[in-house]
Amino acid sequence: MSDKSENTVNKPQAACKTVLVTGGAGFIGSHLIILLAARYPLWRIINVDSLNYCSSLKNLIYLENTSTYKFIQGDVCDQYFIDHIFSTENIDIVFHCAAQSHVENSFLYPSQFMHVNAAGTTVLLQAACKFEVEKFIYMSTDEVYGDSVDKYFDESSPKQPTNPYSTSKAAAENIVLSYWRNHKLPVVIARSSNVYGPRQYYEKVIPRFLCLLQEDQKCTIQGTGLQSRHFLYVDDVTEALLILMKRGIMGDIYNVAANFEIAIIQLARELVKMVKNASNDKLDDWLLFVDDRPVSDLRYPMISEKMHKLGWKPKVPWEEGIRRTIKWYDENKSYWQMVTEKDLQGC
């Protein structure tokens, strides 16, 4: 790492920090910024987002007039833009949440996913190293482990990604850890289960099903629907990220795992029952089976003991989290304006 005096102004020795959140207008990033603003009201928060189709500044409307929050539109892959942010904003902590994350699209545009998720991460790491940030928290995914029928993954399990999205995230992880090993950049990696909650774009499975049901359409299920996912409410994920900021061991990886698992076909049936008040014998009338994606992993079970030792466990049970989520989508039917048929078919 280079001499700090050559690259930054002297940082004030005070409790206040400046936090950079990439992808802060997206689903997880916006929830994280809102939690940061509530938990640390004196800290400055810089939100960098390219504002692609699944991001919206409406997610942060409550903060747009606050003096400690700043939005800057830009691309994490643009080295000159990122260097300018770090040189002018005096960044202390980075939460890197920006990513291309739609698995279906990754099969269509694999090079774009690798560019944004791996090369973009490299650009951020170079700047974080040059300007000597205190912590760099990288948001990853359980999908880097690949498929498992019965084995639970811990952080030492090998990465065996099976689609272009998870491959790009696994590559980014390797780059993140290389900056710890070679430069001692203080990095932490969080691998999360599937996240759900209010304001998530319709391409993800829960909001997609809810949108279809609101439009009196059937839930489109890829393949057999027997593939299952562990679902974690977004507030539990953002709380985990703040705990990693405070207590995570530098250079370590942490599974942020959900306790709740459900098959996609059963998920659809539960949502039909809750949204349409359908009787048990009518649930499958609202299901439409479509072609599966090229590769569809059965499940991603993780062990989260390392997070538990830091004092984190999921607090929002599925019944409460899905109730809150359904209520939000029912009250915000026109929140996402440009919903295409392709969005509703994807998963």
Side-chain angles (χ1 to χ4, degrees):
M1 298 176 70
S2 57
D3 185 357
K4 185 184 184 71
S5 62
E6 296 179 0
N7 298 308
T8 67
V9 297
N10 292 326
K11 296 186 178 181
Q13 300 301 311
C16 294
K17 304 289 185 182
T18 298
V19 182
L20 171 65
V21 179
T22 69
F27 172 50
I28 296 174
S30 63
H31 281 272
L32 174 61
I33 286 176
I34 290 170
L35 180 60
L36 280 165
R39 196 71 56 83
Y40 303 101
L42 299 181
W43 288 18
R44 294 180 65 241
I45 302 171
I46 310 299
N47 172 13
V48 168
D49 197 296
S50 63
L51 292 184
N52 67 9
Y53 68 95
C54 58
S55 300
S56 175
L57 291 180
K58 290 192 295 185
N59 291 338
L60 294 156
I61 195 169
Y62 305 110
L63 297 177
E64 61 184 17
N65 293 320
T66 57
S67 60
T68 55
Y69 167 75
K70 183 177 183 179
F71 169 69
I72 305 173
Q73 185 171 357
D75 185 353
V76 295
C77 299
D78 184 338
Q79 180 179 347
Y80 298 103
F81 167 73
I82 292 299
D83 276 355
H84 178 72
I85 296 295
F86 276 81
S87 65
T88 58
E89 299 295 344
N90 212 22
I91 305 298
D92 296 296
I93 299 167
V94 177
F95 288 95
H96 182 26
C97 301
Q100 293 280 344
S101 64
H102 189 24
V103 174
E104 195 82 2
N105 286 345
S106 78
F107 288 105
L108 300 174
Y109 313 107
S111 60
Q112 179 181 338
F113 274 65
M114 189 62 71
H115 176 65
V116 173
N117 296 349
T121 299
T122 304
V123 169
L124 278 164
L125 288 164
Q126 288 174 333
C129 189
K130 179 179 180 181
F131 294 97
E132 299 195 7
V133 301
E134 296 176 10
K135 292 176 183 175
F136 186 106
I137 297 97
Y138 178 68
M139 187 72 192
S140 191
T141 172
D142 54 4
E143 293 196 38
V144 299
Y145 291 117
D147 197 9
S148 176
V149 176
D150 50 13
K151 178 184 177 182
Y152 277 74
F153 300 116
D154 63 25
E155 291 83 355
S156 65
S157 299
K159 294 194 289 281
Q160 296 179 316
T162 60
N163 59 64
Y165 162 64
S166 56
T167 299
S168 70
K169 296 294 282 186
E173 282 194 10
N174 291 340
I175 299 166
V176 170
L177 291 176
S178 75
Y179 272 77
W180 165 250
R181 297 188 185 102
N182 296 322
H183 306 289
K184 295 305 175 187
L185 181 68
V187 302
V188 177
I189 293 174
R191 292 174 178 161
S192 173
S193 298
N194 278 47
V195 188
Y196 75 101
R199 304 198 301 272
Q200 190 172 32
Y201 190 70
Y202 289 117
E203 68 187 6
K204 302 301 183 182
V205 65
I206 289 177
R208 175 166 60 89
F209 284 171
L210 292 177
C211 181
L212 287 165
L213 293 172
Q214 286 174 351
E215 298 295 324
D216 291 324
Q217 298 182 51
K218 296 181 179 183
C219 297
T220 52
I221 298 176
Q222 295 176 320
T224 64
L226 297 179
Q227 62 272 30
S228 66
R229 297 293 180 262
H230 292 76
F231 286 101
L232 191 60
Y233 192 67
V234 64
D235 288 358
D236 284 324
V237 177
T238 55
E239 187 65 42
L241 291 174
L242 291 199
I243 287 175
L244 289 176
M245 176 188 72
K246 293 186 290 185
R247 305 175 198 159
I249 297 173
M250 297 302 103
D252 262 12
I253 300 168
Y254 293 86
N255 289 343
V256 182
N259 299 324
F260 179 79
E261 181 180 13
I262 189 170
I264 299 302
I265 190 171
Q266 188 58 34
L267 169 66
R269 288 169 177 156
E270 284 202 15
L271 295 181
V272 168
K273 184 181 292 187
M274 298 175 75
V275 175
K276 292 298 183 181
N277 297 312
S279 58
N280 289 336
D281 61 332
K282 297 293 185 181
L283 297 181
D284 286 0
D285 293 346
W286 288 93
L287 308 186
L288 175 65
F289 292 88
V290 299
D291 290 341
D292 205 352
R293 64 176 56 149
V295 179
S296 184
D297 296 333
L298 186 64
R299 57 198 297 263
Y300 310 107
M302 294 193 300
I303 297 170
S304 202
E305 289 301 318
K306 286 177 69 173
M307 283 301 304
H308 296 171
K309 290 178 180 178
L310 295 182
W312 176 89
K313 287 186 179 180
K315 293 181 179 178
V316 182
W318 167 255
E319 294 78 9
E320 174 64 18
I322 197 62
R323 183 193 65 78
R324 294 182 196 173
T325 303
I326 291 173
K327 182 175 185 293
W328 187 88
Y329 282 96
D330 185 56
E331 295 174 349
N332 295 272
K333 291 184 174 66
S334 60
Y335 192 84
W336 295 106
Q337 296 294 330
M338 300 299 291
V339 181
T340 67
E341 182 178 351
K342 177 178 178 293
D343 295 326
L344 298 178
Q345 295 293 327
C347 180

